[in-house]
Amino acid sequence: MRKSILFSLALVSASFVSTLSQAEEKSAWTLSRNVAFVSDYYSRGISQSWHKPAVQAGMDLAHESGFYAGVWGSSITPQTYVDSTTEIDIYTGYNGSFAAVEKLAWSAGLIGYLYPGGNWNKCNCKRSDGVTRVGSQRFDTYEANVALSYDWISAKASVTLTDWFGANKSTGFDSDSRGSTYIELNANYPLPFYDLILVGHVGMLDVAAKVTPLSYGDYSAGKGNPDNTDYKIGLSKTLAVANTTGLNLGVYYVGANDTGYWSPQGYGGSSFNGGSRSKDLTDNRWIITLSSTF
């Protein structure tokens, strides 16, 4: 009897899997997942992991209409995002194309960068009066973005709907930073050999606030200005492992033209951790990424 029940359950399970598979084939929705290991998590030319390796994972849901939504996470350093070791991004938007021009596409979306447990009040920083310690202020930031792409090249503009990672008068800056912008140009050019992709990127960050002089040290030499221009160039290749092609290896050279804000003597490079440790977070360096999408 037990064998008969197990056999029946197996048949029902097989039937359910087959039905589910057929439903997925007919579904207008697509679900994908991704995992990655990076030797150094650089975002917009700035190391988010204190120049240490990071583990990342995400999930994306897309509809044939162009709607998409997803969640993505990465390990980060509490040296920068005080008391937080994880970044969680949530995002949604629409993709579309222009019927009149082949390969020309557009997208528009919203994204939130969340740092569970992270708060400026654990930082050894002062408010814009240069005396009072900062109060409770989270790093969480929300952005809106629009993008255009043509074949292998794309351009994207993002603007913060909230303060830029909590930068305002209560955290030592000269004003609120809502409306900060990031403009980027990206290229993923397929090379005619070894199935390699040549990856290029340049971006410009314009933060709508600067560190108030003497709020935490002397930044009269520009080290209180977080604006920068970042860049990335390298190669990526999809690898075939165990009859799958979802594994990607990337090798990139990254960095930024920093004003000094992210240097060991600047506000971003030394003060967030509340201690004496400091690093150049926009240091030029090679990074390696290994990712898989399934």
Side-chain angles (χ1 to χ4, degrees):
M1 175 65 72
R2 179 176 296 178
K3 290 183 178 180
S4 177
I5 294 174
L6 291 175
F7 182 69
S8 298
L9 289 173
L11 289 177
V12 172
S13 299
S15 176
F16 175 76
V17 170
S18 177
T19 302
L20 182 60
S21 178
Q22 293 176 5
E24 288 179 345
E25 290 177 0
K26 298 177 182 178
S27 175
W29 295 91
T30 302
L31 179 67
S32 63
R33 295 158 291 273
N34 60 84
V35 294
F37 172 84
V38 297
S39 61
D40 193 343
Y41 171 27
Y42 262 68
S43 176
R44 299 179 177 178
I46 304 161
S47 177
Q48 310 292 304
S49 56
W50 209 247
H51 292 316
K52 295 179 180 179
V55 178
Q56 304 170 338
M59 180 180 299
D60 294 282
L61 181 66
H63 190 265
E64 62 183 14
S65 66
F67 171 80
Y68 68 87
V71 60
W72 180 88
S74 176
S75 56
I76 57 171
T77 175
Q79 299 289 340
T80 299
Y81 301 98
V82 188
D83 263 19
S84 183
T85 58
T86 306
E87 173 188 334
I88 299 176
D89 299 349
I90 53 174
Y91 46 89
T92 187
Y94 274 91
N95 293 314
S97 59
F98 297 91
V101 182
E102 187 179 1
K103 297 183 179 181
L104 181 62
W106 62 271
S107 70
L110 300 170
I111 183 170
Y113 305 95
L114 310 179
Y115 302 88
N119 200 300
W120 276 82
N121 62 7
K122 303 295 179 65
C123 171
N124 184 23
C125 310
K126 297 181 176 64
R127 296 168 63 115
S128 57
D129 60 11
V131 178
T132 311
R133 286 182 56 87
V134 300
S136 179
Q137 178 69 55
R138 298 181 62 85
F139 296 103
D140 299 350
T141 304
Y142 294 88
E143 282 184 348
N145 58 74
V146 293
L148 284 175
S149 65
Y150 181 79
D151 201 3
W152 48 268
I153 193 168
S154 64
K156 185 177 181 179
S158 303
V159 58
T160 60
L161 305 177
T162 60
D163 284 331
W164 177 80
F165 301 97
N168 54 42
K169 289 186 176 181
S170 72
T171 52
F173 289 75
D174 59 7
S175 68
D176 296 343
S177 57
R178 180 180 303 177
S180 297
T181 60
Y182 184 73
I183 300 174
E184 58 189 294
L185 184 66
N186 301 288
N188 292 274
Y189 181 74
L191 296 175
F193 47 84
Y194 301 117
D195 295 324
L196 292 171
I197 303 295
L198 177 62
V199 177
H201 160 88
V202 61
M204 295 179 62
L205 173 66
D206 184 4
V207 179
K210 307 295 183 287
V211 177
T212 303
L214 302 181
S215 64
Y216 190 83
D218 182 5
Y219 298 105
S220 58
K223 293 182 174 59
N225 180 2
D227 297 352
N228 67 49
T229 299
D230 72 283
Y231 38 82
K232 177 172 78 171
I233 188 168
L235 296 170
S236 72
K237 179 177 175 58
T238 298
L239 305 176
V241 178
N243 297 322
T244 67
T245 57
L247 194 63
N248 184 274
L249 175 66
V251 179
Y252 310 105
Y253 187 70
V254 299
N257 180 17
D258 178 29
T259 59
Y261 177 91
W262 301 104
S263 73
Q265 293 78 37
Y267 198 60
S270 62
S271 67
F272 284 26
N273 60 8
S276 59
R277 299 177 64 186
S278 61
K279 285 191 177 182
D280 184 350
L281 299 183
T282 56
D283 190 21
N284 298 335
R285 61 179 55 205
W286 290 95
I287 63 172
I288 298 174
T289 68
L290 185 63
S291 61
S292 179
T293 301
F294 52 96

